[in-house]
């Protein structure tokens, strides 16, 4: 068994075809006929451009415009005067075209690959792809035609370049294994777009295997088996069937409403960290954003983002969602989230310290900047404010007071905003849960943060492996707390959502339906799974199960009963 990066989900089983690297060696020579060499170079570039734009067009038609952009990017790069200009200069100085291409490309590859940014690294691999194509053209080497591989082929390559991928016939390629590449590399993006299971970054993959070996590619777990024994093979054949069945079942939920088996409509939102994720949420069919973790904007910066910078990010998310709710959580730092430029004090107990709303209310100037940015963004969609780590009524009152001040200021200055902008409260501490009835009178909505609620209720550091056995949302203490919070919200007539990880847990979903949760906020990739599970439970069935669960005394009894009752 070999491990790699799980880059495209699914199980592929098939016969290996190793894509050998071409020998691109050449003899570096001094050129007398500079004009002739320049023409040879120009012809190679023209051939590259022609083939690349044909491939881009083909990818656009077969896969999609976003994926075609990768190859179009190559065209832009080769047309960049710096790159071609540098190569031309070297040829003019008497270098052969191959040496000019190699030297200039290697210079850019070296520059980009040193940068600590995945996009820049990707640019290095784009230039490497361009270099290989140009050298092949100059040396008259023809590519292996991947479009001719038979059905059930598992492709094994050092890297799968966009040019190779454009030849893939989806029905013939069962899986992809490469030696390099990460989750966001072009090969990963294209494999996902083609829905071909792929495991990348398997060290020495091309030398470990030979043509016609049998391979299992588990693109969900990032695992590869070569010539597996009968038991492993049969296990994976069943796994593959299950995956295919589940996928087709899930596809049926795309574009549908989120409803229980007996027709209760629920909201299925997404958790995001950046405006870019908002696009993903929409693509994954999220019905809104239930948690925009605004701290990522602060963490990805070397300075405190200005009001305008924050406004731009919140507005972008609001516009992407096109009027659907976007719940922006105000800065939740401290605990395990440090932001170096804020120079926060080291604390003995950071999880119990100066964090989240406590820090914000203690640093009102910067908090006002964030709240102003959010309120301004409310003119561009259905934006809501959510306050993290609330433990007492004063905190939510103070935030509402700041929002009221901002509204007054905006009215005076004629700055547009949504007059009905809501201010909600995260319930993620035992204190907030115990006074949920009081908080419900102040807040416009609740969202339960089970990640922290579990940590604080169980007195367990959520990142400490030694006590991880206690960190479970299925602990009776946590379940009682969740049920109580939802009841308090319902009694006060405010909506209650959940944005902790538990909202997407298939075992938890029936309990949440029974308790009366109305909004589930999950990772975008889990939207369809959550919608599918919700559709399988009626309120009456969920109530019957919840009644039994709430009568049990231990976490393990609860988990066992929920597993037995799970609907596949
Ligand atoms: C939570 O605590 O459940 C939550 C959603 O917030 P975070 O995981 O960002 O602390
Ligand atoms: Mg939290």
């Amino acid at each position: 068994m070999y491990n790699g990066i799980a880059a495209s989900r699914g199980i592929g089983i098939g016969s290996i075809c190793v894509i050998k690297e071409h020998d691109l060696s050449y003899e570096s020579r001094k050129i007398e006929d500079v004009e002739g060499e320049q023409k040879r170079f120009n012809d190679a570039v023209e051939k590259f451009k022609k083939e690349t734009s044909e491939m881009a067009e083909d990818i656009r038609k077969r896969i999609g415009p976003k994926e075609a952009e990768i190859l179009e990017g190559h065209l832009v790069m080769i047309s960049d005067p710096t790159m071609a200009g540098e190569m031309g200069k070297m040829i003019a100085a008497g270098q052969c075209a191959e040496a000019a291409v190699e030297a200039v490309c290697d210079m850019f590859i070296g520059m980009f690959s040193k940068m600590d940014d995945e996009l820049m690294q990707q640019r290095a691999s784009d230039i490497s792809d361009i270099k290989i194509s140009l050298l092949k053209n100059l040396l008259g080497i023809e590519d292996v035609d991947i479009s001719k591989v038979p059905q059930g082929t598992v492709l094994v390559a050092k890297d799968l370049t966009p040019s190779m991928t454009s030849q893939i016939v989806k029905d013939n390629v069962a899986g992809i294994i490469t030696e390099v590449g990460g989750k966001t590399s072009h090969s990963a993006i294209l494999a996902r777009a083609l829905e071909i299971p792929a495991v990348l970054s398997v060290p020495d993959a091309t030398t470990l295997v030979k043509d016609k070996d049998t391979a299992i590619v588990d693109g969900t777990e990032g695992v590869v088996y070569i010539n597996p024994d009968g038991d492993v093979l049969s296990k994976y054949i069943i796994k593959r069937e299950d995956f295919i069945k589940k996928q087709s079942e899930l596809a049926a939920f795309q574009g549908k409403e989120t409803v229980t088996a007996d027709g209760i409509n629920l909201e299925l939102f997404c958790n995001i960290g950046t405006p870019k994720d908002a696009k993903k949420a929409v693509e994954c069919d999220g019905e809104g954003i239930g948690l925009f973790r605004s701290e990522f904007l602060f963490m990805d910066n070397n300075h405190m983002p200005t009001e305008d910078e924050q406004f731009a990010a919140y507005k972008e998310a609001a516009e992407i969602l096109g009027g659907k709710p976007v719940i922006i959580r105000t800065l939740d730092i401290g605990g395990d989230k440090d932001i170096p430029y804020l120079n926060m004090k080291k604390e003995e107990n950071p999880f119990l310290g100066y964090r989240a709303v406590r820090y914000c209310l203690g640093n009102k100037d910067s908090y006002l900047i964030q709240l102003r940015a959010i309120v301004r963004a409310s003119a561009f969609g259905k934006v809501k404010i959510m306050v993290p780590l609330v433990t007492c009524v004063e905190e939510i009152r103070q935030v509402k007071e700041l929002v009221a001040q901002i509204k007054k200021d905006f009215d005076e200055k004629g700055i547009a905003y949504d007059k009905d902008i809501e201010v909600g409260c995260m319930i993620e501490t035992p204190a907030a849960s115990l006074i949920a009835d009081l908080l419900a009178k102040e807040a416009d909505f609740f969202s339960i943060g089970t990640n922290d609620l579990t940590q604080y209720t169980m007195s367990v550091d959520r990142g400490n492996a030694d006590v991880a056995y206690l960190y479970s949302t299925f602990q009776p203490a946590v379940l009682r707390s969740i049920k109580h919070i939802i009841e308090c919200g319902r009694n006060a007539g405010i909506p209650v959502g959940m944005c902790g990880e538990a909202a997407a847990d298939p075992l938890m979903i029936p309990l949440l339906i029974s308790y009366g949760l109305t909004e589930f906020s999950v990772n975008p990739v889990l939207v369809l799974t959550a919608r599918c599970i919700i559709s399988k439970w009626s309120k009456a069935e969920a109530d019957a199960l919840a009644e039994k669960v709430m009568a049990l005394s231990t976490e393990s009894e609860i988990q066992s009963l929920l597993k037995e009752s799970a609907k596949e």
Side-chain angles (χ1 to χ4, degrees):
M1 183 182 102
Y2 302 96
N3 289 305
I5 293 173
S8 176
R9 289 174 349 120
I11 312 284
I13 303 175
S15 171
I16 281 180
C17 167
V18 185
I19 302 169
K20 298 259 166 18
E21 296 252 276
H22 289 288
D23 178 7
L24 295 176
S25 55
Y26 58 91
E27 211 168 301
S28 189
R29 48 201 190 278
K30 275 272 161 232
I31 298 299
E32 301 290 324
D33 176 11
V34 168
E35 224 169 89
E37 192 65 0
Q38 192 75 51
K39 182 172 180 311
R40 207 167 70 82
F41 169 71
N42 289 343
D43 289 348
V45 172
E46 282 316 308
K47 183 166 188 269
F48 169 79
K49 284 187 182 167
K50 184 171 173 283
E51 285 171 353
T52 307
S53 58
E54 280 167 10
M55 281 189 288
E57 191 45 37
D58 181 53
I59 291 197
R60 177 180 298 281
K61 282 196 206 117
R62 283 197 307 130
I63 310 178
K66 222 172 73 223
E67 289 72 20
E69 275 171 21
I70 297 171
L71 283 172
E72 282 156 5
H74 290 187
L75 286 173
V76 174
M77 281 185 229
I78 194 62
S79 308
D80 182 309
T82 332
M83 195 155 154
E86 286 301 316
M87 292 174 186
K89 270 191 223 156
M90 288 184 70
I91 296 170
Q95 297 269 16
C96 66
E98 288 86 344
V101 165
E102 184 156 41
V104 174
C105 288
D106 284 352
M107 193 261 294
F108 281 110
I109 294 169
M111 189 175 87
F112 287 124
S113 56
K114 274 198 209 83
M115 296 186 191
D116 210 17
D117 175 303
E118 202 167 341
L119 271 180
M120 291 301 142
Q121 308 264 357
Q122 190 53 58
R123 186 141 307 160
S125 102
D126 286 327
I127 295 178
S128 165
D129 204 9
I130 295 173
K131 175 177 111 174
I132 292 170
S133 302
L134 287 179
L135 285 177
K136 277 183 198 157
N137 289 353
L138 287 166
L139 298 167
I141 295 170
E142 286 303 321
D143 252 332
V144 215
D145 191 353
I146 297 178
S147 67
K148 301 267 165 28
V149 298
Q151 227 181 19
T153 296
V154 171
L155 295 175
V156 182
K158 183 152 193 319
D159 190 10
L160 203 64
T161 62
S163 29
M164 289 176 186
T165 318
S166 74
Q167 302 166 1
I168 287 179
V169 177
K170 181 174 169 332
D171 291 341
N172 293 349
V173 178
I176 294 168
I177 305 170
T178 67
E179 286 182 12
V180 296
K183 260 199 173 29
T184 53
S185 65
H186 290 157
S187 32
I189 294 170
L190 289 162
R192 282 198 291 274
L194 286 162
E195 294 173 349
I196 298 174
V199 178
L200 309 188
S201 277
V202 178
D204 305 320
T206 54
T207 41
L208 288 171
V209 301
K210 50 183 191 318
D211 281 340
K212 304 255 172 346
D213 277 349
T214 299
I216 296 174
V217 182
D218 181 343
T220 310
E221 299 292 332
V223 171
V224 166
Y225 291 87
I226 306 298
N227 297 325
D229 66 30
D231 284 353
V232 173
L233 195 58
S234 355
K235 190 179 106 191
Y236 270 95
I237 290 173
I238 296 170
K239 257 186 138 177
R240 181 176 61 181
E241 294 307 307
D242 280 355
F243 182 84
I244 294 169
K245 195 167 144 247
K246 283 223 176 75
Q247 283 312 106
S248 58
E249 207 185 18
L250 288 186
F253 286 89
Q254 180 83 29
K256 296 279 162 28
E257 292 190 339
T258 303
V259 266
T260 59
D262 51 347
I264 303 172
N265 264 292
L266 298 172
E267 289 176 312
L268 187 49
F269 291 178
C270 292
N271 295 347
I272 62 166
T274 62
K276 209 167 118 225
D277 296 345
K279 274 204 190 107
K280 181 148 189 224
V282 172
E283 278 161 23
C284 292
D285 216 14
E287 299 158 23
I289 301 300
L291 167 65
F292 183 154
R293 286 186 163 98
S294 68
E295 56 274 15
F296 286 107
L297 277 176
F298 293 71
M299 288 165 130
D300 285 351
N301 246 311
N302 51 11
H303 66 277
M304 175 89 168
T306 62
E307 182 181 317
D308 281 347
E309 283 167 347
Q310 292 190 52
F311 165 66
Y314 306 146
K315 172 176 176 259
E316 190 182 343
E319 286 179 338
I320 291 169
L321 266 291
K324 290 178 182 160
V326 177
I327 302 179
I328 302 176
R329 174 173 76 184
T330 62
L331 187 59
D332 185 4
I333 38 140
D336 54 349
K337 297 172 202 149
D338 184 27
I339 298 182
Y341 59 81
L342 291 182
N343 296 318
M344 296 174 75
K345 269 201 316 237
K346 285 266 164 291
E347 295 177 303
E348 286 278 322
N349 280 307
F351 278 113
L352 303 182
Y354 197 41
R355 55 170 296 205
V357 69
R358 303 168 183 184
Y359 175 88
C360 290
L361 289 173
N363 290 274
K364 286 220 179 80
D365 289 349
S366 48
Y367 199 31
L368 273 169
I369 291 176
Q370 177 169 43
L371 291 172
R372 285 173 65 89
I374 302 176
V375 178
R376 274 170 68 193
S378 72
F380 299 87
K382 188 83 209 121
V383 170
K384 307 185 190 198
I385 298 169
M386 180 158 78
V387 190
L389 207 82
V390 170
T391 49
C392 57
V393 165
E394 290 89 326
E395 286 165 340
I396 191 82
R397 280 194 187 151
Q398 283 186 56
V399 178
K400 280 171 59 182
E401 178 50 39
L402 294 177
V403 173
Q405 263 178 43
I406 292 170
K407 286 181 169 180
K408 192 162 163 275
D409 183 42
F410 283 7
D411 286 339
E412 280 163 18
K413 295 193 173 115
I415 299 173
Y417 68 94
D418 171 12
K419 298 220 175 341
D420 299 320
I421 186 167
E422 293 179 13
V423 179
C425 186
M426 270 195 89
I427 308 288
E428 51 181 346
T429 62
S433 168
L434 288 166
I435 58 160
D437 56 332
L438 304 178
L439 289 169
K441 290 187 198 147
E442 312 283 333
D444 294 317
F445 62 90
F446 280 169
S447 183
I448 308 176
T450 47
N451 307 342
D452 275 319
L453 186 67
T454 306
Q455 147 163 283
Y456 292 119
T457 304
M458 296 306 296
S459 305
V460 159
D461 176 344
R462 65 198 245 192
N464 183 337
D466 292 336
V467 284
Y469 67 97
L470 283 170
Y471 184 84
S472 166
T473 315
F474 297 106
Q475 283 284 354
V478 185
L479 290 182
R480 285 174 192 216
S481 182
I482 294 173
K483 184 167 188 270
H484 168 74
I485 297 163
I486 299 172
E487 269 166 16
C488 290
R490 290 182 74 87
N491 289 344
I494 62 165
V496 184
M498 179 178 284
C499 57
E501 298 300 307
D505 189 324
L507 299 186
M508 186 62 81
I509 286 175
L511 297 181
L512 300 175
I513 293 174
S514 167
Y515 301 160
L517 194 84
T518 52
E519 175 238 303
F520 295 64
S521 191
V522 306
N523 183 314
V525 298
L526 296 174
V527 166
L528 295 187
T529 313
R531 188 174 288 151
C532 170
I533 295 184
I534 289 171
S535 78
K536 297 192 175 179
W537 289 91
S538 68
K539 177 79 166 66
E541 284 169 321
D543 281 347
L545 178 61
E547 199 181 323
K548 286 191 208 150
V549 163
M550 296 314 274
L552 295 172
S553 313
T554 69
E555 194 263 355
S556 61
E557 287 164 1
I558 292 172
Q559 283 247 29
S560 310
L561 176 60
L562 290 173
K563 279 184 189 148
E564 264 166 41
S565 320
K567 299 191 183 212
E568 272 307 308

